[in-house]
Amino acid sequence: MNAERDLSPLTPGVVRALTDKLYEKRKVAALEIEKLVREFVAQNNTSQIKHVIQILSQEFALSQHPHSRKGGLIGLAACSIALGKDSGLYLKELIEPVLTCFNDADSRLRYYACEALYNIVKVARGSVLPHFNVLFDGLSKLAADPDPNVKSGSELLDRLLKDIVTESNQFDLVSFIPLLRERIYSNNQYARQFIISWILVLESVPDINLLDYLPEILDGLFQILGDNSKEIRKMCEVALGEFLKEIKKNPSSVKFAEMANILVIHCQAADDLIQLTAMCWMREFIQLAGRVMLPYSSGILTAVLPCLSYDDRKKNIKEVANVCNQSLMKLVIPEDDEMDEPKPSVTIPAEPTSEESLSKPEAVTTGESQLPHHGRNELDVTALNQPLFFPCSCERIQVTLNLDGIVQVLDYHLSDTSIGMMTRIAVLKWLYHLYIKTPRKMFRHTDSLFPILLRTLSDESDEVILKDLELLAEIASSPAGQTEEGHGPSDGSDVRPGPVELHVPARAGQLSSSSTKGLECSPSTPTMNSYFYKFMINLLKRFSSERKLLETRGAFIIRQLCLLLNAENIFHSMADILLREEDLKFASTMVHTLNTILLTSSELFQLRNQLKDLKTPESRNLFCCLYRSWCHNPVTTVSLCFLTQNYKHAYDLIQKFGDLEVTVDFLTEVDKLVQLIECPIFTYLRLQLLDVKNNPYLIKALYGLLMLLPQSSAFQLLSHRLQCVPNPELMQTTDNTKPSTSFKRAAASNIDYTELLQHFEKVQNKHLEARHQRAGRAEQLDRRVVL
């Protein structure tokens, strides 16, 4: 700079001193400037004051020469001190050149700029608040300065500015938030620390309501929570904790909907602290906001469900996620099944667009497209939390359950084989809950869910299978399944599905009148919907294609279904389906499994009693239906006759065994039947051996079995039993005119045993042909191998 240049009112001596490299000389010049400006203030000479500031700014602070810039900074600070309370009138001119020096390459100069601004702010105090954003912006850069002296100076200035903001009630939060939102995404540790410290200060000021703007900065806060510095993480935890306390105190003023998706994203974070904190927030949001969170259910479930299978290393996250899951489930109410009804001509309003927005189950923007419809100034959270009291209110219409999105997420998690057991159980519980609360809407999804629910029966966990069976039982018995268009019968009069819909052969002409009548007369059949029969068909198909499932879990599955549904319906329908089974070997195996369950399971005690007496037309029809399918396995057919006390027919069947191909498997089954006769199930049969006169065919049938057996342990067992049969002469009583109860019952039953015997022969002939065909194919295969 040319020292001779006219820079009045500054004297040449002051100008030279300002540009001197020695700090002491610049300080002397600053004192001269302070004295000069004080005189102008006393004279109220504003033009000269502005002129001095302009000279110091343009000619010194913004000069190319470093010493001139240092002189300009100390001179501007001197002007501010001289102006005192009037400095507020010139703050823009005073601050701007100083802030420019914050970017200087020279660290000493940046330090002097800090010092100058500290003096300017200290004098102006509250007057600097209109310029807060530019000051904050400059300070945020200095907070990350590599020079420790500059950083130390900026911290002093930062504390001063915080004191001013805390004391003042004129802080412009609205204009500051955009800058805070921008700076909060900084990756620099010191900048992050600076940001968090300011958020904590603003939170502590009673007159500043930062909670209103929390949606703007919440995502950034969670980002900072993942910082590598423990100190910064701790500070961020404290800030988030303070916000959460405030949310709990004033839930009515919180914009839950605007923050829901932010939490959903961070509930899926890889960092444990972020995930746990976000999950804790989600728990509070669901409990405080209630049904306001429903439009975001699919996103919440995407985040929460995988956490339910965490091990003990993430026990805290798992526990909180479980609470979130339970609380969210409770928000679904029966009224959600009717919410789309006020809109005629639209079957599923708004839901298709929601589904489109959730192109992938992992997406977390569910409900985002609905956000404008959930404006914070339109909704009262407390009203939304009590939907039952406002059946026609606006709140109820706005808070809509996005069932399509939820089902899509649940389907995805159930299909994913890598998902843990507890997650699969939770998914099945959710689906069950939805079928209970919103059956009409859920039946629209049943066709797409049905295959995966059937596949889940092959799960490794018994608990998963139990929940799956509960759900399938609910689907099969729900009244909503009877009337739903496109799923049930077209006229709704018959609960059994038509042959075209179920893809099974037509039943006409394949069943006798007694069997068909059995289906119609079954007392509990009307409680089953079209999906019951479909379920039975597909379950048997599953057993047929997956024999290991039948061997390991078949009995368990059927027994559980007998508890959940009506056992008579299950056996009736399965027998009806097996009657038309083309794979005869599978039919025989399945009949054997069903028969073992029927004879041994405690769950079927009532059904056994019903069959044992055959007192009602329904029980006789059930016997006929079971008999026709049981014919696939000769030994099980005899055991059914023993159970139903049809001893003469059992004897007639055993007589036919001489015409059958006696194999090792056949003899093994006879052996098992002998073992069964010794079990408590057949106590009544063994007691009837005392009444020799009235049960001759029982004894004959047992002797017939004895003659079939080789000299094995079973032969010895049955032989010893028959040796205990008393001499009829010794058992003679005075009342020998009493007719046999079994003959009386047989006469009243009106069952065509001749026709049943013919059916048995016909089925066994089919089995013989099939065995010969299999043997022929095996022989041809052996020949090919030899060749």
Side-chain angles (χ1 to χ4, degrees), residues 342-626:
K343 301 181 181 181
S345 79
V346 181
T347 317
I348 316 174
E351 287 187 356
T353 51
S354 302
E355 189 172 9
E356 284 163 19
S357 68
L358 187 72
S359 56
K360 290 176 72 179
E362 295 90 344
V364 290
T365 53
T366 311
E368 194 136 26
S369 59
Q370 300 173 2
L371 197 56
H373 303 292
H374 299 276
R376 55 185 175 267
N377 51 356
E378 297 175 53
L379 294 177
D380 175 37
V381 176
T382 53
L384 284 167
N385 228 347
Q386 303 166 10
L388 289 171
F389 303 122
F390 302 93
C392 301
S393 67
C394 299
E395 290 88 345
R396 281 287 308 282
I397 294 168
Q398 288 177 328
V399 179
T400 308
L401 182 69
N402 177 21
L403 200 61
D404 291 356
I406 293 172
V407 171
Q408 193 176 353
V409 170
L410 295 174
D411 190 354
Y412 169 78
H413 282 88
L414 197 58
S415 304
D416 188 350
T417 52
S418 65
I419 292 294
M421 181 190 75
M422 296 310 296
T423 296
R424 295 198 299 278
I425 290 170
V427 168
L428 292 166
K429 283 181 177 178
W430 256 102
L431 289 169
Y432 181 80
H433 183 73
L434 291 172
Y435 270 104
I436 294 292
K437 297 294 182 184
T438 60
R440 192 174 57 84
K441 284 184 178 180
M442 277 304 294
F443 266 94
R444 297 169 185 165
H445 300 278
T446 302
D447 281 340
S448 61
L449 288 170
F450 215 66
I452 182 62
L453 294 179
L454 286 165
R455 284 199 298 276
T456 305
L457 291 174
S458 303
D459 198 275
E460 296 175 357
S461 163
D462 284 352
E463 200 174 344
V464 171
I465 294 173
L466 277 172
K467 291 297 172 191
D468 193 31
L469 289 171
E470 281 180 27
L471 175 55
L472 284 164
E474 178 59 30
I475 292 171
S477 59
S478 172
Q482 293 176 339
T483 55
E484 188 68 21
E485 290 181 16
H487 298 303
S490 56
D491 58 359
S493 58
D494 184 5
V495 294
R496 290 294 188 200
V500 177
E501 184 199 336
L502 292 172
H503 308 290
V504 294
R507 291 158 64 193
Q510 296 188 29
L511 302 176
S512 70
S513 59
S514 61
S515 176
T516 309
K517 186 180 176 186
L519 280 173
E520 292 168 356
C521 296
S522 179
S524 54
T525 298
T527 64
M528 301 296 115
N529 59 36
S530 61
Y531 278 99
F532 172 76
Y533 205 65
K534 186 175 184 179
F535 175 31
M536 293 298 110
I537 288 172
N538 283 284
L539 180 60
L540 289 174
K541 280 182 182 176
R542 192 98 189 141
F543 285 149
S544 177
S545 62
E546 207 173 324
R547 296 299 169 88
K548 190 178 177 183
L549 176 65
L550 176 59
E551 290 168 17
T552 57
R553 298 283 180 78
F556 170 72
I557 289 170
I558 293 166
R559 286 175 63 179
Q560 291 303 319
L561 283 174
C562 288
L563 288 172
L564 294 164
L565 296 167
N566 184 279
E568 180 186 344
N569 279 343
I570 290 167
F571 273 79
H572 214 313
S573 58
M574 283 192 169
D576 179 36
I577 296 161
L578 286 170
L579 190 58
R580 291 162 282 151
E581 178 59 53
E582 293 175 2
D583 184 347
L584 298 180
K585 191 174 181 182
F586 166 70
S588 177
T589 306
M590 193 67 222
V591 162
H592 176 73
T593 303
L594 288 170
N595 187 64
T596 305
I597 295 166
L598 178 64
L599 294 179
T600 60
S601 298
S602 57
E603 295 90 346
L604 295 172
F605 174 77
Q606 192 175 347
L607 187 61
R608 281 196 297 272
N609 279 348
Q610 192 179 333
L611 285 167
K612 187 168 74 175
D613 297 330
L614 295 181
K615 289 179 180 177
T616 63
E618 289 80 17
S619 62
R620 291 193 288 274
N621 284 325
L622 177 61
F623 165 71
C624 291
C625 181
L626 294 179

